[in-house]
C-alpha cells in the first residue's frame, strides 16, 4: 500500500483501530502546544529530504518484483536466508528498563519503568507478540499493561520499510539510522527495497512492535498506543533499544531494556507449545 | 373405480392366481407415492401377506414380480414399511428372487432391494449370507443396464464396515464396479462411483487396489463436471479417499499448475476442493459435504514442512472460496443434523488450526456460543468436533487473549475430561492444553475446576494419545506458573508417576515430560529446590541419563534435558548450583558443546554461564570456575568459538561464557 506522503499522518492513524506504542498523551495545554511546535519543526526539517525520499519511494513502486522475490536480487544477494535462532527470542523471556524522552529538555513526566514480556516468537514467520507494562507513569494511577504484536525484519515477511501505521519511508530511515547497528546495513537497505542480505549473520535483530490494546486500562488512562516501536535487539547481550514513533506524540521516546532473570538469579528458559 | 383396501386384502387370500395377481398389482398402484395409503395397508396387514406370496414356492413369475415391486414401494421413504417387511420374514425372499431363472423376477427383486436398502433400518448383513452377494456381484455385469446399476446401488449401501467392504471386493465386486465405471452411460458411471466411494471409504487396502487400475482416477475426475450434485459429491468422496494415499499414480493429464513438484494426490485434491466447497450450497447433499471436506483438507500427522506449506495453500484456497462463510451457515441453522454439525465443526477446526485470519473470521461470524453449545451435544462425535474447534481457535496468544474470553469454554471442556466416550476425552484434553497457558483468561477457572488431578490421572492412561495430551497440558500449565500451582502439581503427581513417563515408549511423551520439569525449574529459587526434593534428588541423575544417550538419540529429548539443567543452575541458589557441580553434569559439558544439535551446544554454554556467574550472592562462583577450568571446559569453549563461528546463537553464548572465565583469572 503506497503511502500518501502529502496526507496528514493523523488521518492514517485514525483509520487504524488500535494504533501503537505506549506514549504520554500530554494533557496540559503547555504540553500540547509544545507538541504542535515540535511537529512543525519536524515537518520543516523533513522537507529538505522530501525530494530524495520521494525518489526512494518511487523505486519501491516500480520494482515490485524486487520486493516480492523470495530468493535473491539481481546481484545474487541472498535475502531469503532465514534468521538464526536466538536464546533471547523465546517465549517467556522478559526485559526490564525505561522509556524516556532523549531530548535534554524532557520533563520527568515522560520517563518511566517498563517491563516487556515475550509471549510468542515464530521466527520462521517473522512474528512476535507479548506484553508491555509501564510502571510509575506520572499521568496514570497504576501500571498500564498493553498487548503488542511485532514483526521481525527478515526480508521475507517484513522489510525495513514499514508502509503502514502512518510511517513514511523517510520516517523509517530517520528512525532506523538512530541505531548504530543499522549503519553497516544502511546503503544496501536503501538500494534493495528495504532488505538486507546481512541479516542472517548479523549480531542484531531488528523488529517493529505495535501495541494493539490495553489489557488493564481503558483508552482514557492517559497513555496512547497510537504509534509503534522500532526495535533493535543485541543478540549477544540480549539488550534492546527501541524508538517510539507516533506523529502525535513527543518524538524520540527511547526504550532501553535489559534481559531479566525473573525470580531466579541466572538465566532460565520456560517453554510452551500450542496443541 | 378403485377397489377398497379391505376388499383387496381379501383378494390376496384368494385361491385364484389371477385374482391374487390383480390384487397385488392394485395395492402397488395405490401405495406408490402415497404415504397415507402405505400406512393404512400396513395397518391392514398387507405386508406379511405379500411377503408370504413372495416366499411361496408356488408363486408364478408374474406374481413374484408384482410382489417384489409392492414390497419395495412399501419400504421406499417409509421406515414403518421397512419395519413391517423385517417383521414378516425380512429380505430373504427378495434375495432369493435374485437367483430366479426369470430375468424379470431378478430385476424386480433387485429394484425392490435398492428401495429397502436406502433405509438405515435395512439388514445390511443379510446380503452377505446365502449366495446373495455372489449374485449381486454377477448382476453388476448384467446386460440389462438397469439391473447392473441397481445392484451397484444396493452394494453401495452395504459397506458399513471393513469386513463388508472386503467381502464385496473379495467376491469380485471391485473389478465389476470398475467395469461399470468404464461404461459410457452416465447413470451406470454414477452408480459405480456411488459404490466405489462406499467401498473405499476408510479402507486403504481397497483404495490401493483401485489405484492399480489405470484410468480410474481420470474417469472419476470427469464426473466432477456432472450436473447432478449427488454424482459430483460421490466423485469428490471417492477422490478424497484415493488422493490421500501416498502411492497415487500420476494422472493422464496432469494439472498444469506446478505439476512437477506437486504429487498426483495433491493435484487431485486441488481439483476436488472447489467442487466440494460449491456443494456446501447444494441442499440435497450438503449434510454430508462438510465431513468429506474436513477429510480432504486434514493435514496428516507428521506432515513434512513442504506438506505443511501445501496444506496451508489448500486451506487458503478453501477460505478464498468462502468455505468458512458457507460452513458457518450450518452452525446458525438449528435444524442441522448431527452429521452435518460434526462435519462442519471438523472442517472449521482444520481451517482455523494454522491461520489467524481464519480464526478471526470465525469469531466475527458470532458462532462461538453455538460451538460452546455443541460441547454438550448429545452426539459424541459432535462433542469431539466441537472440542477440536475450540482447540484450533485457542492456538495463538492473540486469539486466546481476545476472542475466546467472552465464551465459557472452560467449564464444559473440564466436564468432557470425564466423558464416557474416549474420543471426546482425547479431544477435550487436547483443547485444555491451550487453555491452561500463562496468558489464557481461562487458566484460573481451569485450575479451580480441579484439572490438575484429572490431568495427572490421564497422564497414566493406556492410550498413548491421551497420555501425550495430558502431559502436554501439564507442561503448558507449569509454564510461568505461580509457586502454589507448582506445589499442587507436585502434590497431585508423585515422582513415581513422573519417572515412567520419562521412559515412555512414545518419544513425544518423554519430551513433554522433560519440558514439564524444565518449566517447574523456571521460576524462583525455592521452586527449584522443591522440585529437587520432589524428585528425591533423582532429577539430575535422570537428566544426565538423557544427556548421555547416544548421539543418534532424538535431539528434542536432549534439548529439553539440557535446558532443564540450565534452569536448575540458573534459578537455583548456591545449593542448587553446587548440586549441579557435584553431579555428573560438569563432565558432560565438553561433549554437549560438541553435540550435533545447535540448540544443545548453545545451552551447554548457558549451563557454564549460570554456574560461573559472579556476584555477592554467589560466593562459590570462583571455585566453580576453577573446577570447570580444570575439566578443560575453558579450552573447549575456545575451540567451539572457532568451530562454530557461523552459528550465532552458539558463538554468542560461548563468548559470554569465556568472558566469565577471563574475569575470574
Amino acid at each position: 500500500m503506497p503511502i500518501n506522503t502529502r496526507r496528514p499522518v493523523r488521518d492514517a492513524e485514525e483509520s487504524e483501530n488500535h494504533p501503537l506504542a505506549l506514549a504520554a498523551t500530554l494533557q496540559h495545554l503547555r504540553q500540547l502546544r509544545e507538541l504542535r511546535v515540535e511537529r512543525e519543526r519536524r515537518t520543516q526539517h523533513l522537507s529538505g529530504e522530501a525530494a530524495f525520499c520521494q525518489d526512494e519511494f518511487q523505486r519501491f513502486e516500480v520494482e515490485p518484483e524486487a520486493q516480492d522475490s523470495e530468493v535473491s536480487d539481481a546481484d545474487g544477494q541472498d535475502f531469503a536466508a532465514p534468521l538464526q535462532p536466538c536464546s533471547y527470542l523465546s517465549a517467556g523471556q522478559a526485559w526490564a528498563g525505561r522509556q524516556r524522552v532523549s531530548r535534554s529538555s524532557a520533563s520527568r513526566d515522560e520517563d518511566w519503568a517498563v517491563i516487556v514480556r515475550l509471549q510468542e516468537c515464530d521466527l520462521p514467520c517473522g512474528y512476535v507478540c507479548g506484553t508491555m507494562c509501564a510502571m510509575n507513569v506520572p499521568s496514570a494511577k497504576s501500571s498500564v499493561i498493553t498487548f503488542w504484536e511485532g514483526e521481525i525484519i527478515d526480508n521475507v515477511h517484513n522489510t525495513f520499510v514499514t508502509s503502514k501505521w502512518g510511517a513514511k519511508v523517510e520516517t523509517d530511515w530517520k528512525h532506523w539510522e538512530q541505531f548504530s547497528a543499522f549503519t553497516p546495513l544502511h546503503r544496501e537497505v536503501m538500494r534493495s527495497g528495504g532488505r538486507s542480505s546481512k541479516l542472517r549473520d548479523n549480531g542484531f535483530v531488528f523488529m517493529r512492535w505495535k501495541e494493539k490494546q490495553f489489557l488493564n486500562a481503558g483508552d482514557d488512562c492517559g497513555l496512547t498506543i497510537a504509534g509503534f516501536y522500532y526495535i533493535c535487539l543485541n543478540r549477544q547481550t540480549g539488550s534492546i533499544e527501541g524508538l517510539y514513533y507516533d506523529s502525535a506524540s513527543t518524538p524520540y521516546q527511547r526504550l532501553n531494556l535489559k534481559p531479566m532473570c525473573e525470580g531466579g538469579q541466572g538465566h532460565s528458559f520456560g517453554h510452551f507449545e500450542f496443541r | 373405480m378403485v377397489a377398497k383396501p379391505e376388499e383387496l386384502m381379501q383378494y390376496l387370500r384368494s385361491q385364484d392366481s389371477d385374482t391374487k395377481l390383480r390384487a397385488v398389482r392394485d395395492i402397488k398402484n395405490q401405495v406408490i407415492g402415497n404415504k397415507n395409503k402405505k400406512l393404512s395397508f400396513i395397518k391392514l396387514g398387507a405386508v406379511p401377506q405379500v411377503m408370504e406370496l413372495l416366499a411361496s414356492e408356488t408363486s408364478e413369475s408374474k406374481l413374484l414380480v408384482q410382489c417384489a415391486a409392492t414390497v419395495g414401494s412399501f419400504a421406499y421413504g417409509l421406515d414403518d414399511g421397512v419395519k413391517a417387511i423385517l417383521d414378516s420374514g425380512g429380505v430373504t425372499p427378495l434375495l432369493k428372487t435374485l437367483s430366479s431363472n426369470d430375468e424379470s423376477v431378478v430385476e424386480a427383486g433387485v429394484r425392490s432391494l435398492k428401495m429397502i436398502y436406502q433405509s438405515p433400518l435395512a439388514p445390511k448383513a443379510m446380503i452377505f449370507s446365502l449366495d446373495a452377494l455372489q449374485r449381486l456381484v454377477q448382476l453388476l455385469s448384467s446386460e440389462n443396464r438397469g439391473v447392473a446399476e441397481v445392484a451397484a446401488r444396493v452394494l453401495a449401501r452395504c459397506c458399513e464396515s471393513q469386513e463388508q467392504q472386503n467381502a464385496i471386493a473379495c467376491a469380485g465386486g471391485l473389478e465389476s464396479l470398475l467395469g461399470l465405471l468404464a461404461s459410457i452411460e452416465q447413470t451406470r458411471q454414477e452408480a459405480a462411483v456411488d459404490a466405489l466411494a462406499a467401498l473405499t471409504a476408510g479402507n486403504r487396502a481397497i483404495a490401493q487396489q483401485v489405484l492399480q487400475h489405470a484410468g480410474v482416477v481420470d474417469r472419476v475426475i470427469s464426473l466432477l463436471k456432472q450436473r447432478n450434485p449427488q454424482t459430483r459429491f460421490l466423485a469428490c468422496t471417492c477422490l478424497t479417499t484415493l488422493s490421500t494415499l501416498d502411492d497415487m499414480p500420476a494422472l493422464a493429464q496432469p494439472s498444469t499448475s506446478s505439476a512437477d513438484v506437486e504429487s498426483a494426490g495433491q493435484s487431485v485434491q486441488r481439483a476436488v476442493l472447489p467442487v466440494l466447497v460449491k456443494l456446501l450450497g447444494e441442499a440435497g447433499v450438503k449434510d454430508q459435504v462438510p465431513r468429506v471436506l474436513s477429510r480432504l483438507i486434514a493435514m496428516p500427522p507428521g506432515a513434512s514442512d513442504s506438506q505443511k506449506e501445501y496444506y496451508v495453500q489448500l486451506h487458503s484456497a478453501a477460505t478464498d472460496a468462502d468455505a468458512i462463510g458457507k460452513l458457518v451457515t450450518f452452525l446458525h441453522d438449528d435444524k442441522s443434523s448431527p452429521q452435518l454439525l460434526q462435519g462442519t465443526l471438523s472442517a472449521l477446526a482444520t481451517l482455523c488450526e494454522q491461520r489467524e485470519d481464519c480464526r478471526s473470521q470465525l469469531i466475527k461470524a458470532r458462532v462461538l456460543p453455538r460451538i460452546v453449545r455443541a460441547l454438550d451435544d448429545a452426539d459424541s462425535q459432535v462433542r469431539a468436533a466441537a472440542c477440536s474447534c475450540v482447540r484450533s481457535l485457542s492456538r495463538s496468544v492473540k486469539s486466546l487473549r481476545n476472542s475466546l474470553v467472552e465464551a465459557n469454554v472452560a467449564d464444559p471442556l473440564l466436564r468432557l475430561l470425564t466423558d464416557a466416550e474416549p474420543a471426546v476425552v482425547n479431544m477435550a484434553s487436547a483443547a485444555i492444553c491451550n487453555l491452561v497457558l500463562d496468558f489464557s483468561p481461562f487458566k484460573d477457572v481451569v485450575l479451580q475446576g480441579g484439572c490438575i488431578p484429572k490431568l495427572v490421572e490421564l497422564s497414566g492412561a493406556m492410550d498413548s494419545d491421551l497420555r501425550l495430551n495430558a502431559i502436554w497440558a501439564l507442561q503448558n500449565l507449569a509454564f510461568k506458573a505461580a509457586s502454589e500451582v507448582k506445589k499442587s502439581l507436585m502434590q497431585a503427581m508423585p515422582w513415581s508417576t513422573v519417572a515412567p513417563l520419562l521412559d515412555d515408549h512414545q518419544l513425544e511423551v518423554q519430551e513433554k515430560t522433560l519440558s514439564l520439569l524444565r518449566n517447574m525449574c523456571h521460576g524462583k529459587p525455592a521452586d527449584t529446590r522443591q522440585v529437587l526434593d520432589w524428585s528425591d534428588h533423582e532429577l539430575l541423575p535422570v537428566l544426565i541419563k538423557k544427556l548421555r544417550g547416544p548421539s543418534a538419540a532424538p535431539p528434542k529429548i536432549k534439548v529439553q534435558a539440557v535446558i532443564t539443567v540450565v534452569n536448575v543452575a540458573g534459578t537455583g541458589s548456591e545449593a542448587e548450583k553446587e548440586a549441579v557441580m557435584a553431579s555428573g553434569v560438569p563432565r558432560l559439558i565438553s561433549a554437549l558443546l560438541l553435540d550435533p544439535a545447535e540448540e544443545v551446544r548453545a545451552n551447554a554454554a548457558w549451563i557454564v554461564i549460570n554456574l560461573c556467574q559472579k556476584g555477592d550472592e554467589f560466593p562459590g562462583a570462583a571455585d566453580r570456575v576453577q573446577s570447570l577450568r580444570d575439566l578443560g571446559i575453558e579450552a573447549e569453549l575456545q575451540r567451539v568459538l572457532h568451530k562454530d563461528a557461523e552459528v550465532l546463537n552458539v558463538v554468542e553464548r560461548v563468548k559470554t561464557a569465556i568472558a566469565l572465565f577471563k574475569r575470574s583469572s
Side-chain angles (χ1 to χ4, degrees):
Chain A
M1 50 228 113
I3 303 155
N4 180 350
T5 49
R6 297 279 164 238
R7 194 176 61 175
V9 172
R10 195 66 214 158
D11 289 352
E13 285 159 4
E14 278 161 1
S15 68
E16 281 271 344
N17 280 342
H18 296 291
L20 127 83
L22 210 47
T25 40
L26 308 177
Q27 290 168 336
H28 307 300
L29 257 179
R30 181 191 62 79
Q31 290 168 312
L32 281 173
R33 206 178 309 119
E34 185 185 281
L35 188 63
R36 253 180 253 121
V37 169
E38 183 60 40
R39 280 179 69 182
E40 280 162 24
R41 191 189 66 76
R42 287 180 63 200
T43 315
Q44 284 161 10
H45 173 69
L46 288 177
S47 64
E49 289 179 356
F52 165 74
C53 291
Q54 188 64 35
D55 279 348
E56 276 302 308
F57 185 64
Q58 278 165 2
R59 281 174 63 99
F60 299 135
E61 289 245 282
V62 297
E63 293 182 326
E65 309 92 311
Q67 284 261 40
D68 292 341
S69 150
E70 285 189 2
V71 189
S72 62
D73 73 355
D75 303 337
Q77 302 279 33
D78 188 4
F79 289 130
L83 297 195
Q84 297 196 45
C86 173
S87 291
Y88 290 107
L89 281 178
S90 60
Q93 179 64 50
W95 289 266
R98 299 196 77 75
Q99 171 158 324
R100 56 167 75 91
V101 174
S102 57
R103 284 176 298 125
S104 53
S105 63
S107 72
R108 297 196 53 176
D109 288 356
E110 294 167 287
D111 183 345
W112 55 73
V114 171
I115 287 182
V116 168
R117 288 195 166 83
L118 196 61
Q119 291 183 324
E120 203 178 342
C121 178
D122 188 347
L123 202 58
C125 291
Y127 176 84
V128 281
C129 71
T131 57
M132 184 179 287
C133 175
M135 288 164 297
N136 310 319
V137 179
S139 58
K141 288 188 193 101
S142 57
S143 298
V144 179
I145 307 174
T146 56
F147 173 68
W148 54 267
E149 288 185 284
E151 303 176 333
I152 302 171
I153 310 300
D154 59 2
N155 296 329
V156 175
H157 303 92
N158 311 297
T159 71
F160 283 96
V161 182
T162 307
S163 300
K164 57 189 162 188
W165 302 330
K168 294 175 253 181
V169 181
E170 61 265 36
T171 319
D172 289 332
W173 301 151
K174 264 193 83 64
H175 286 83
W176 289 125
E177 70 191 12
Q178 305 263 332
F179 301 123
S180 55
F182 181 72
T183 312
L185 315 179
H186 202 152
R187 281 180 70 90
E188 186 193 18
V189 169
M190 297 280 273
R191 262 189 294 116
S192 313
R195 297 174 302 165
S196 165
S197 58
K198 301 188 187 82
L199 290 183
R200 188 188 142 73
D201 300 316
N202 206 294
F204 297 84
V205 178
F206 299 93
M207 293 177 265
R208 279 182 288 267
W209 293 353
K210 171 88 180 93
E211 283 161 298
K212 294 286 180 171
Q213 65 184 111
F214 291 105
L215 291 180
N216 70 336
D219 290 339
D220 55 354
C221 63
L223 298 175
T224 172
I225 52 172
F228 69 94
Y229 291 95
Y230 293 88
I231 296 289
C232 177
L233 164 76
N234 181 329
R235 297 182 47 115
Q236 174 74 49
T237 63
S239 59
I240 285 177
E241 261 189 281
L243 279 168
Y244 183 64
Y245 170 70
D246 167 21
S247 63
S249 299
T250 309
Y252 308 117
Q253 299 200 47
R254 270 183 187 273
L255 201 58
N256 285 95
L257 303 168
K258 291 216 169 341
M260 275 172 84
C261 304
E262 271 184 291
Q265 291 147 325
H267 294 275
S268 72
F269 304 94
H271 179 66
F272 74 86
E273 269 168 290
F274 287 111
R275 180 66 164 124
Chain B
M1 186 180 134
V2 180
K4 285 186 183 162
E6 291 80 3
E7 280 174 10
L8 289 173
M9 289 299 294
Q10 276 192 345
Y11 297 153
L12 277 184
R13 285 188 278 271
S14 161
Q15 292 302 312
D16 177 58
S17 56
D18 280 351
T19 311
K20 279 194 281 200
L21 178 63
R22 260 201 312 275
V24 176
R25 187 191 292 138
D26 285 353
I27 292 175
K28 182 195 76 184
N29 289 341
Q30 287 197 23
V31 299
I32 284 178
N34 189 330
K35 192 179 163 190
N36 289 334
K37 282 276 184 186
K38 283 181 197 176
L39 286 170
S40 59
F41 272 106
I42 289 169
K43 234 182 218 166
L44 289 170
V47 173
Q49 289 273 320
V50 178
M51 289 292 287
E52 197 178 304
L53 293 173
L54 191 63
S56 164
E57 299 285 334
T58 56
S59 294
E60 293 169 14
S61 292
K62 276 184 193 169
L63 183 60
L64 290 175
V65 167
Q66 290 304 323
C67 285
T70 310
V71 169
S73 291
F74 274 118
Y76 190 68
L78 187 70
D79 282 349
D80 286 333
V82 179
K83 272 182 215 151
I85 294 164
L86 297 181
D87 290 343
S88 35
V91 293
T92 312
L94 278 171
L95 293 172
K96 271 191 186 156
T97 62
L98 301 181
S99 305
S100 167
N101 293 325
D102 188 325
E103 207 177 289
S104 63
V105 174
V106 175
E107 179 168 359
V110 72
R111 281 187 189 280
S112 179
L113 283 170
K114 177 192 159 190
M115 290 192 241
I116 295 172
Y117 275 76
Q118 271 164 351
S119 163
L121 299 174
K124 310 289 163 90
M126 289 301 287
I127 74 146
F128 299 94
S129 62
L130 309 171
D131 42 24
L133 176 59
Q134 207 55 54
R135 275 301 287 156
L136 279 168
V137 168
Q138 279 169 9
L139 293 177
L140 291 173
S141 316
S142 167
E143 288 299 308
N144 182 333
R145 352 167 166 156
V147 167
E149 179 200 329
V150 172
R153 299 282 187 185
V154 173
L155 290 172
R157 302 285 82 78
C158 297
C159 295
E160 289 178 333
S161 67
Q162 290 220 346
E163 287 84 20
Q164 293 182 346
Q165 292 168 327
N166 293 341
I168 293 172
C170 285
L174 182 57
E175 309 291 323
S176 306
L177 285 169
L178 293 173
L180 201 61
L181 182 70
S183 145
I184 49 164
E185 272 175 77
Q186 200 181 312
T187 53
R188 298 179 126 198
Q189 289 179 344
E190 288 176 11
V193 84
D194 186 0
L196 284 173
L199 206 56
T200 50
N203 195 320
R204 230 184 140 70
I206 296 184
Q208 268 160 346
Q209 284 178 47
V210 170
L211 286 180
Q212 281 160 16
H213 292 77
V216 173
V217 174
D218 293 303
R219 245 170 247 135
V220 182
I221 284 183
S222 70
L223 293 177
L224 291 176
K225 297 183 196 115
Q226 293 291 346
R227 277 188 56 188
N228 182 351
Q230 179 71 24
T231 307
R232 271 183 282 147
F233 170 67
L234 292 170
C236 287
T237 308
C238 200
L239 290 169
T240 297
T241 305
L242 298 180
S243 66
T244 43
L245 294 177
D246 317 325
D247 40 4
M248 176 107 190
L251 299 177
Q253 295 168 309
S255 93
T256 46
S257 66
S258 62
D260 47 340
V261 286
E262 192 172 75
S263 79
Q266 292 176 347
S267 334
V268 171
Q269 286 167 353
R270 282 187 200 274
V272 169
L273 183 81
V275 182
L276 262 183
V277 174
K278 217 169 167 196
L279 284 170
L280 287 171
E282 288 285 352
V285 293
K286 70 167 196 315
D287 267 31
Q288 298 152 294
V289 177
R291 199 178 274 195
V292 178
L293 179 64
S294 73
R295 269 173 47 210
L296 181 80
I297 60 178
M299 199 183 308
S304 67
D305 282 352
S306 68
Q307 275 177 320
K308 277 184 190 154
E309 198 176 313
Y310 159 75
Y311 277 99
V312 169
Q313 284 173 14
L314 195 68
H315 298 167
S316 299
T319 46
D320 289 351
D322 194 28
I324 293 184
K326 287 176 179 172
L327 287 165
V328 155
T329 60
F330 304 140
L331 292 183
H332 284 307
D333 183 356
D334 285 336
K335 290 190 285 293
S336 292
S337 67
Q339 183 193 27
L340 179 55
L341 263 185
Q342 186 253 323
T344 300
L345 291 166
S346 301
L348 287 171
T350 303
L351 288 174
C352 295
E353 193 174 1
Q354 306 292 335
R355 296 177 40 154
E356 190 63 31
D357 54 338
C358 294
R359 287 179 205 125
S360 54
Q361 191 187 345
L362 190 57
I363 296 294
K364 277 186 195 131
R366 310 203 158 277
V367 286
L368 202 51
R370 181 69 192 92
I371 296 171
V372 174
R373 246 193 308 139
L375 289 170
D376 286 324
D377 199 277
D379 187 304
S380 68
Q381 289 191 315
V382 172
R383 293 199 297 278
C387 288
S388 91
C389 228
V390 171
R391 180 181 72 83
S392 287
L393 284 173
S394 55
R395 293 195 81 231
S396 77
V397 176
K398 192 182 179 186
S399 58
L400 195 52
R401 267 192 186 290
N402 302 320
S403 317
L404 290 173
V405 180
E406 290 158 37
N408 178 16
V409 294
D411 288 335
L413 276 177
L414 277 172
R415 275 200 299 279
L416 294 180
L417 285 182
T418 50
D419 197 279
E421 199 58 53
V424 176
V425 180
N426 205 330
M427 288 305 194
S429 56
I432 291 277
C433 288
N434 300 341
L435 300 192
V436 295
L437 282 163
D438 172 52
F439 36 78
S440 158
F442 304 104
K443 182 165 187 172
D444 290 342
V445 183
V446 178
L447 285 175
Q448 282 154 19
C451 81
I452 292 182
K454 188 65 208 163
L455 289 172
V456 170
E457 183 194 324
L458 292 176
S459 73
M462 294 294 287
D463 182 308
S464 61
D465 287 343
L466 211 46
R467 275 202 313 280
L468 177 62
N469 284 341
I471 196 68
W472 194 315
L474 290 169
Q475 163 212 265
N476 281 359
L477 189 148
F479 172 68
K480 299 198 89 74
S483 300
E484 306 80 67
V485 174
K486 289 181 182 170
K487 244 180 234 167
S488 45
L489 201 155
M490 288 187 276
Q491 267 161 17
M493 194 174 193
W495 185 256
S496 57
T497 59
V498 178
L501 294 170
L502 288 165
D503 289 320
D504 198 278
H505 71 267
Q506 204 185 356
L507 285 176
E508 241 184 324
V509 170
Q510 289 190 26
E511 183 199 341
K512 302 291 178 258
T513 311
L514 284 165
S515 176
L516 163 67
L517 299 176
R518 160 184 175 177
N519 282 339
M520 294 292 282
C521 299
H522 173 59
K524 299 190 173 69
D527 294 353
T528 305
R529 197 170 312 131
Q530 278 165 359
V531 172
L532 291 175
D533 290 344
W534 174 46
S535 76
D536 200 15
H537 297 271
E538 275 303 302
L539 179 63
L540 286 169
V542 163
L543 296 174
I544 288 165
K545 197 178 107 193
K546 296 288 172 195
L547 293 174
R548 277 209 185 114
S551 60
K556 282 182 169 183
I557 302 281
K558 268 194 176 174
V559 167
Q560 295 301 339
V562 74
I563 299 178
T564 310
V565 178
V566 170
N567 288 1
V568 172
T571 58
S573 50
E574 281 292 280
E576 286 70 45
K577 289 182 203 289
E578 286 306 326
V580 173
M581 288 303 292
S583 72
V585 167
R587 289 182 185 283
L588 269 177
I589 291 175
S590 292
L592 294 175
L593 284 168
L594 298 171
D595 194 90
E598 179 183 322
E599 216 178 338
V600 172
R601 301 201 297 278
N603 281 294
W606 274 120
I607 298 178
V608 177
I609 294 167
N610 279 336
L611 290 174
C612 299
Q613 206 169 14
K614 293 208 302 177
D616 292 343
E617 61 276 50
F618 309 122
D623 287 347
R624 290 194 288 272
V625 166
Q626 193 53 49
S627 305
L628 294 179
R629 186 180 280 136
D630 293 345
L631 285 168
I633 289 172
E634 188 185 11
E636 192 61 54
L637 286 166
Q638 292 288 359
R639 277 193 288 276
V640 172
L641 196 58
H642 296 291
K643 220 172 135 240
D644 258 341
E646 304 280 299
V647 188
L648 292 186
N649 202 33
V650 176
V651 167
E652 286 156 0
R653 305 306 62 97
V654 165
K655 276 185 186 163
T656 306
I658 289 172
L660 288 166
F661 279 93
K662 285 206 177 113
R663 263 182 250 161
S664 308
S665 53

